[in-house]
Amino acid sequence: MPVTTAAAAPSATVTLPQDFGALLREDPEIADVLVGELARQSETLQLTAAENFTSPAVLAALGSPLANKYAEGYPGARHHGGCEQADAAERIAIRRATALFGAEHANVQPHSGSSAVLAAYAALLRPGDTVLAMGLPYGGHLTHGSPANFSGRWFEFIGYGVDSESGLIDYDQVRALARTHRPKAIVSGSISYPRHPDHELFREICDEVGAYLIADSAHPMGLIAGGAAPNPVPYADVVCATTHKVLRGPRGGMILCGAELAERIDRAVFPFTQGGAQMHTVAAKAVAFGEAAAPAFAAYAHHVVNHARVLAAGLEAEGFDVTTGGTDTHLIVADPAPLGVDGPTARTRLAAAGIVLDTCALPYGDARGIRLGTAAVTTQGMDDKDMARLAVLMGSAVREEGGVAEEVREMAAQHPPYSG
């Protein structure tokens, strides 16, 4: 449905991925915001590592009548009547998730990745327990012990780090810390570590000290689905993830585990940490799992990784210092200091040129770098040549050279996220 909006650029027309006719008639103020956001996504390049573009089918499920349904509980055991179709949607999502990742059990109700981690901790730990996880300065998530988060307030977190030269996880340190502190659980995973964790080695360390292994796989879950990253399911007691990011589904979370922990995980999600499931989101998760099981998604996942490697090499050629010397995933972390600026300044200059990304902590020091990912631009159909050109444009933007914004808009126009 073509719509011209005041929020877009002058005379700009964008194609909506779903019919917003009713919203345009009944609430043009919010409709203008939504169309304006689509225009922003269509006219700039989205390199935020945690973002992607869902399919029109996922968006359709999110806007479906299941948004009206209250469905506390689980299929066949709800606290509300009229849940026949809600039960069917959730069973489909569970069936597809367990098949996609080779898990014995899946809980698809968590509202977010953080909700999934909270439920995993609630199932396995008690307040005051010791947990070993990647330290926040090295890429750990807020749920890995931040004092501002429930995790840092309720549990005793010990942070492991990375080697100061290679930037890779120091597994000798992980083992030594585990032996010293005897944690109840060890968490693998991060928000800005661009290499694959060694799931088998983490399992070995956990077994040595009698700890649970919780894999926080929010970022690589889509790569895992597409066979472009190793699967933690055979090694971890519990796997927590998001359903957006590379997986390209709706914003939400999920938990995978073995049959022996299934009841504990389910009770930790509902009724302990959440109320009613968002059934429209559960249905959208089912759609995304179905899409991720198709051969085309496997090709997509491998393209995401290849594009990240090309972009990382291009950024190094432009003068950025890329942590770990590259990437195995969709993630790139780079220090723009060799170009004479810090991460926040680089992000601001890139945003002015229409290139959207994040900053993140850099190992060993207080400096911040930039964090970016290739999931969204790959969904848009960009290729290796586009990634090489994008690296040049990023270098030019940080150096404040002219003409970058125009080239970025042209590149975005050639690869619209939604069309037809």
Side-chain angles (χ1 to χ4, degrees):
M1 158 175 202
V3 176
T4 301
T5 170
S11 73
T13 299
V14 294
T15 302
L16 297 175
Q18 58 191 129
D19 187 354
F20 283 179
L23 185 61
L24 285 164
R25 291 189 300 272
E26 297 178 17
D27 196 334
E29 186 176 15
I30 286 296
D32 196 57
V33 171
L34 300 185
V35 176
E37 172 59 14
L38 180 58
R40 185 197 68 79
Q41 293 179 19
S42 301
E43 296 164 5
T44 58
L45 297 180
Q46 315 311 312
L47 293 180
T48 301
E51 293 182 355
N52 208 335
F53 295 108
T54 67
S55 70
V58 168
L59 290 178
L62 283 172
S64 71
L66 278 174
N68 303 324
K69 191 70 198 85
Y70 214 157
E72 286 183 322
Y74 291 100
R78 303 288 188 183
H79 292 258
H80 303 274
C83 289
E84 294 81 7
Q85 299 308 316
D87 285 0
E90 187 163 351
R91 287 188 175 112
I92 292 169
I94 291 169
R95 184 184 75 239
R96 291 179 179 179
T98 54
L100 184 62
F101 297 105
E104 293 177 345
H105 180 72
N107 189 301
V108 296
Q109 290 192 12
H111 300 330
S112 67
S114 293
S115 297
V117 174
L118 170 59
Y121 292 169
L124 304 179
L125 308 174
R126 293 296 179 267
D129 281 346
T130 299
V131 183
L132 183 59
M134 179 171 275
L136 271 66
Y138 309 108
H141 187 249
L142 290 174
T143 56
H144 300 172
S146 168
N149 183 261
F150 71 86
S151 59
R153 295 188 184 189
W154 293 350
F155 306 105
E156 184 66 33
F157 270 82
I158 307 297
Y160 60 81
V162 298
D163 180 80
S164 59
E165 294 186 4
S166 68
L168 302 177
I169 293 174
D170 185 343
Y171 289 100
D172 290 336
Q173 182 198 44
V174 175
R175 190 185 298 274
L177 289 171
R179 288 173 174 173
T180 299
H181 297 281
R182 314 297 292 189
K184 186 72 173 292
I186 298 177
V187 180
S188 65
S190 79
I191 60 170
S192 58
Y193 184 69
R195 302 293 181 173
H196 299 312
D198 189 331
H199 303 300
E200 186 174 7
L201 185 50
F202 269 114
R203 177 76 267 167
E204 178 184 307
I205 296 170
C206 284
D207 288 343
E208 182 179 334
V209 300
Y212 290 110
L213 176 56
I214 300 172
D216 188 348
S217 299
H219 270 277
M221 209 61 184
L223 299 179
I224 294 164
N231 190 351
V233 168
Y235 304 100
D237 295 289
V238 176
V239 178
C240 302
T242 56
T243 50
H244 44 288
K245 300 185 176 73
V246 185
L247 192 53
R248 214 157 53 180
R251 299 192 65 81
M254 65 180 296
I255 306 174
L256 304 173
C257 66
E260 71 282 359
L261 291 176
E263 183 177 358
R264 291 170 66 178
I265 289 294
D266 286 353
R267 290 179 64 83
V269 175
F270 175 84
F272 190 75
T273 61
Q274 291 186 180
Q278 298 176 354
M279 294 313 304
H280 57 304
T281 304
V282 169
K285 291 174 185 180
V287 174
F289 298 149
E291 293 175 345
F297 189 89
Y300 161 76
H302 284 84
H303 285 316
V304 168
V305 175
N306 290 337
H307 291 167
R309 288 172 171 163
V310 172
L311 182 53
L315 290 175
E316 282 197 324
E318 287 295 310
F320 293 84
D321 181 9
V322 176
T323 64
T324 76
T327 182
D328 292 327
T329 68
H330 65 300
L331 275 167
I332 303 167
V333 175
D335 185 358
L339 281 69
V341 300
D342 60 10
T345 301
R347 179 181 65 177
T348 298
R349 293 181 181 181
L350 288 162
I355 299 172
V356 183
L357 44 70
D358 295 328
T359 64
C360 69
L362 294 171
Y364 298 102
D366 296 328
R368 295 189 68 80
I370 57 172
R371 184 190 73 156
L372 56 148
T374 53
V377 291
T378 302
T379 294
Q380 291 175 261
M382 295 188 188
D383 58 20
D384 287 354
K385 290 182 179 179
D386 293 313
M387 296 302 102
R389 182 57 187 159
L390 183 52
V392 174
L393 291 174
M394 290 178 65
S396 297
V398 171
R399 291 188 293 267
E400 295 189 296
E401 297 170 357
V404 179
E406 291 77 10
E407 287 201 49
V408 168
R409 280 196 295 270
E410 182 179 348
M411 182 179 288
Q414 292 171 351
H415 302 278
Y418 298 105
S419 63

